[in-house]
Amino acid sequence: MRILAWHVHAAWMTSFVQGAHEYYVPVLSDRGPDGMGRAQTYPWPDSVRELTPEELRRTDFDVVVLQRPHELELFHRWTGHALGRNGRPAVYVEHNTPRGDVNDWRHPLADRGDIPIVHVTEFNRTMWDNGLAPAEVIEHGVPDYGYQYTGTLDSLVVSINEPVRRSRVAGLDLVATIAEQVPVSVYGLGTEELSARIHRGLAVTGSLSQDELHRRMAMHFAYLHPYRWTSLGLALIEAMTLGMPVLVVAATAAPEAVPPETGVVTSRLDLLARTASRWLSDPDEARRCGLAARAHALAHFGLPRFLDDWDRMLKEVCR
């Protein structure tokens, strides 16, 4: 198939473009949000091709994968074609949990039934009011990055992009509380802003390539997932794939995605901190949890299942 999709979430897109298709990503001269083109720090295959808006107008697509509401208008403006029943086949991937008051959680595509919404977790599908739109779930999938866990660093690690802007959503205050008892390193884009308001026990590291990020993460003795309100973070699944034990705040889809043998899922910060301290004293327990986490991630979030699910979905949409 010839698939058009904007580069919005690099980690998700890295898995998506591993299929046996041709992928087209819009590119603009400034490589801004609507035209980022190919990822610069993620390994994308040669089957991913950049196209300018002018080239998009002259290119035919079998299906368009949307990820933001304004992409419907953007596609029409750039190509002259509509999407859905009276235009090109399309599917909308909903990466995020809804925002605002619970009574306002109606999806932007809820009033049209010709473009299916694919949620990345069952939790997301349950929280959104999908209205007339067919609502499906295709859970995350990640490549097998190999068993890399060493646990040689006596600090937890968390991956948060733009931690200052997303402080409450990402649970940065929860990280700071845990860091009062166990050191925590924060990795991600925009952590430079966090350096100016550093908390005791916190260390920050800025943008890294995906390979380097995984190598550095796996050196810490455990992964901390503090998110309050988000879809299931890919960094959590990647950490499990690397063989890391996990400490997870019991919110959104995490309780369903992380079984007890892989670590601890709880809303009690004292229990997360106590478990971290115990693992520091008992690295064998931490390693056993990490091995269980890796086995679970490969079985439930492996790339083959993810790509098979998407192949079925795209064929159905095109049909």
Side-chain angles (χ1 to χ4, degrees):
M1 289 187 188
R2 295 161 298 178
I3 303 170
L4 171 66
W6 274 262
H7 171 189
V8 178
H9 299 284
W12 181 87
M13 194 73 166
T14 297
S15 295
F16 183 71
V17 299
Q18 304 302 318
H21 305 288
E22 296 176 42
Y23 303 90
Y24 299 90
V25 291
V27 65
L28 297 173
S29 57
D30 63 357
R31 292 191 176 268
D34 288 333
M36 295 175 65
R38 288 175 56 93
Q40 305 299 305
T41 58
Y42 285 75
W44 285 12
D46 294 338
S47 55
V48 184
R49 177 183 166 194
E50 295 180 343
L51 292 181
T52 65
E54 294 75 20
E55 291 170 324
L56 287 174
R57 184 175 285 271
R58 301 191 301 267
T59 305
D60 231 355
F61 307 102
D62 295 307
V63 61
V64 179
V65 176
L66 304 163
Q67 299 170 76
R68 298 167 299 176
H70 76 277
E71 290 175 0
L72 286 96
E73 186 276 330
L74 202 57
F75 179 80
H76 181 264
R77 175 153 46 93
W78 285 357
T79 69
H81 298 294
L83 291 171
R85 186 175 297 110
N86 298 316
R88 299 290 189 269
V91 60
Y92 189 103
V93 183
E94 183 50 73
H95 295 281
N96 301 311
T97 42
R99 298 287 190 267
D101 184 83
V102 64
N103 291 314
D104 299 327
W105 288 357
R106 188 165 175 83
H107 198 274
L109 269 66
D111 292 328
R112 52 188 300 170
D114 57 342
I115 298 180
I117 302 170
V118 175
H119 296 278
V120 295
T121 65
E122 288 287 356
F123 181 87
N124 272 22
R125 176 163 66 173
T126 301
M127 293 301 105
W128 279 104
D129 175 1
N130 298 291
L132 300 174
E136 306 291 339
V137 175
I138 297 180
E139 293 188 314
H140 287 306
V142 300
D144 181 3
Y145 300 107
Y147 181 73
Q148 299 188 40
Y149 180 69
T150 64
T152 54
L153 297 179
D154 290 345
S155 59
L156 297 168
V157 62
V158 58
S159 178
I160 303 175
N161 288 330
E162 299 182 83
V164 174
R165 180 181 69 83
R166 304 169 67 213
S167 176
R168 288 289 297 175
V169 167
L172 187 61
D173 56 318
L174 307 182
V175 175
T177 298
I178 292 174
E180 293 175 359
Q181 301 180 58
V182 182
V184 182
S185 291
V186 182
Y187 290 73
L189 300 172
T191 52
E192 300 80 8
E193 297 180 44
L194 184 59
S195 300
R197 21 177 120 181
I198 199 74
H199 297 272
R200 183 169 59 89
L202 278 182
V204 298
T205 300
S207 179
L208 299 171
S209 70
Q210 190 184 42
D211 288 344
E212 180 63 14
L213 173 63
H214 290 159
R215 187 188 71 82
R216 297 275 292 274
M217 281 173 50
M219 295 171 65
H220 296 266
F221 77 91
Y223 184 81
L224 174 64
H225 185 71
Y227 286 78
R228 280 189 175 92
W229 192 244
T230 184
S231 64
L232 185 64
L234 271 170
L236 169 63
I237 302 170
E238 290 173 355
M240 295 169 71
T241 302
L242 296 173
M244 301 187 70
V246 292
L247 300 169
V248 182
V249 172
T252 64
E256 293 178 318
V258 182
E261 65 272 17
T262 66
V264 174
V265 182
T266 179
S267 55
R268 292 181 51 186
L269 300 188
D270 61 326
L271 180 55
L272 294 175
R274 285 206 311 273
T275 303
S277 297
R278 188 176 74 244
W279 284 347
L280 281 172
S281 302
D282 189 354
D284 289 340
E285 180 189 355
R287 188 170 297 277
R288 286 194 300 271
C289 289
L291 288 170
R294 173 169 165 78
H296 177 76
L298 292 178
H300 293 270
F301 298 104
L303 200 56
R305 188 274 309 158
F306 174 80
L307 294 175
D308 285 347
D309 287 351
W310 267 108
D311 280 351
R312 284 193 293 272
M313 171 59 64
L314 294 174
K315 288 175 183 176
E316 181 62 30
V317 170
C318 290
R319 187 179 301 118

